[in-house]
Amino acid sequence: MKIIEFCDTTLRDGEQAPGNTMKPKDKLLIAKKLENIGVNVIEAGFPASSKEDFEAIKLISSHLKKATVCSFARCVEKDIDIANESTKGAKNRMLMIFYAISDIHLKNKYNTNRKDAMEKIKNSIRYSKQYFKRIKFGLEDATRADPKYLHQVINLLLNEGVDTIALGDTTGWITPLETFKLVKNVVYQVNGKVKISIHCHNDLGMATANTLSAIMAGVDEVDTTVNGIGERAGNTPFEEIVVSLVVRKDIFKRKINIKLNALMPLSELVYKIINRTPSHEKPIVGVNAFRHESGVHIDGIKKDPSTYEIFNPKKNWTQARIFIWKTFKQEMTC
Ligand code: MN
C-alpha cells in the first residue's frame, strides 16, 4: 500500500497569517512534536523574511534528529544563501524554493513573461544546488496556470533534477474533480521520476477535499498545517487528512506513519501558542466534534457510539476528550 508523506508548513504558511506569529522557542516546541508524531518534512520558516525566522530555523535544525528541516526561499540568490546558512546544523535538510506560474501572477507580481520565468526558475535551481542536495520546487498558483505552460515548466523541473514538485492551489481556487484530473496528468507526465506534492488553501472550504482528491490521483506528499492555520481561510488541516485516511482507508487505500494518540496534544499546543481555540464545529478537534445534546442522538450514542460517531476518539484519540474536559470543564454527554 502506497505511503503518504506529510510536509507540515504550520511554521511557515501557518505562521505567516495575521495573528499567528510565533517565537523561535515556541516554534521549536511545535517542531519537536511534529517530528515525534511522524511528520516527514517540517517547513520551518522563511529565513530571509526576518531575523526571528532565521533564528527559529537554526534552532530547529540543531534539535531535530529524524525529520527533514525545510527552509523556504524565493528565486532570489540572497534568499537561497540565507536558507543555506539557517539549515547548516540540520541532520537532514532540504530547500523549498518557489515561483508563481499563472499569467495573473507573472504579470501582476513579477512583471515578467513565461519565457523569462522559466529562465529564472532554471537559474535558481542551479544556484541552489551548490548548497542543497534535495530541492522541492513549489509552483505557486499552479491551479490557475495554463495547463500547457504547467506541462512545460514541469519538463524543465524534470531536466534540472529537483526531488519534489509541489502543485500550489495558492488561492483556494480548484475543485476536487479538477484536482483529480490535474494531478493524474502530472503524475503521468513525471512517471515516478520525482515526488509530487499538493498544497491547498481553504478559501472555498475545499482544501481537505482537494487534498484527498490529489491523494486518490497519486500524489506522494501532502502539505498541511496543524488545525489548518494559514493565509486567509487557512491551509489543509493535518488532523483532517490523517483521520480521513484512517477512517476511510477502505476508499483511500493509503498508509501513513502518524501516531494518532499524539494528534490532540499537537493541536492543543498550536492553539495555545497562537492564543486561540478551535471553532466548536471544527472537525476532529472542535469542542462539539464528540458532544451531543439531542435526546434522539444521546439515546443512540448510549446504545452504541457508532450510531452517530464514525470513529471512536477513546480508542485512538484518547486525548480528544481529555482536551475538551480540560479546556471547557464540561461533562461529555455520552
Ligand atoms: Mn500557501
Side-chain angles (χ1 to χ4, degrees), residues 12-13 199 201 235:
R12 199 276 301 169
D13 220 346
H199 178 102
H201 278 265
N235 290 54

Side-chain angles (χ1 to χ4, degrees), residues 193-219:
K193 291 189 195 98
V194 296
K195 281 186 186 172
I196 299 297
S197 183
I198 189 85
H199 178 102
C200 294
H201 278 265
N202 205 29
D203 297 69
L204 295 175
M206 290 193 272
T208 297
N210 286 331
T211 302
L212 290 169
S213 198
I215 287 172
M216 290 186 98
V219 293

Side-chain angles (χ1 to χ4, degrees), residues 299-312:
D299 179 58
I301 288 282
K302 275 182 175 165
K303 287 169 182 159
D304 184 344
S306 70
T307 314
Y308 283 101
E309 291 181 355
I310 57 167
F311 60 90
N312 179 2

